[in-house]
Amino acid sequence: MSHRIPVGTIDELLPGQRKLVFLDGRSIVLFNIEGVIHAIENSCPHQGASLASGQLDGCVLRCPAHGLRFDLRTGRMPGPGGLSVGTFLVQAVDGKLELQIDEPSSAASPAPACKGAAERA
């Protein structure tokens, strides 16, 4: 079963910013990429390192521990196969950001394309 949880306001997460939230025993990091909010599990599937401080290149986040790259739109590593992190749907409702919590899914509604490395990956 899914439910929506408020995680802040739109004004708190401006383009280029990120925010770490803890919900239902999960650590989740939200990113505002050119006005589009993406949310992923804050744990690299390789060895569990926090992804919150990873370097961004467009919509691609680099794990600070070992350099694995994940597309924030899908949660997957660029290219065929590879590891993936859970993604979450985030919606703006009356100026507030609401995160949908259910099973992590890389099948959330696709966000618009990001500029940068995502297209080169």
Side-chain angles (χ1 to χ4, degrees), residues 3-67:
H3 56 284
R4 296 184 195 279
I5 300 175
V7 292
T9 66
I10 294 171
D11 296 337
E12 290 177 327
L13 193 61
L14 300 175
Q17 294 183 326
R18 57 187 81 188
K19 179 179 182 177
L20 185 61
V21 297
F22 299 93
L23 302 170
D24 291 348
R26 294 179 170 155
S27 176
I28 299 169
V29 62
L30 289 81
F31 298 86
N32 184 332
I33 309 293
E34 298 182 359
V36 178
I37 309 299
H38 302 273
I40 63 169
E41 292 275 357
N42 184 34
S43 179
C44 181
H46 175 234
Q47 290 187 341
S50 171
L51 296 171
S53 64
Q55 180 181 358
L56 275 174
D57 187 4
C59 276
V60 176
L61 178 71
R62 184 177 303 275
C63 175
H66 298 103

Side-chain angles (χ1 to χ4, degrees), residues 40-114:
I40 63 169
E41 292 275 357
N42 184 34
S43 179
C44 181
H46 175 234
Q47 290 187 341
S50 171
L51 296 171
S53 64
Q55 180 181 358
L56 275 174
D57 187 4
C59 276
V60 176
L61 178 71
R62 184 177 303 275
C63 175
H66 298 103
L68 296 177
R69 299 178 308 135
F70 300 95
D71 188 319
L72 296 178
R73 298 166 294 184
T74 64
R76 295 189 175 116
M77 294 177 69
L83 300 172
S84 64
V85 296
T87 61
F88 300 90
L89 178 64
V90 181
Q91 292 182 322
V93 178
D94 297 326
K96 296 178 183 165
L97 294 175
E98 293 183 353
L99 188 116
Q100 182 172 313
I101 296 288
D102 49 16
E103 291 301 312
S105 171
S106 58
S109 298
C114 291

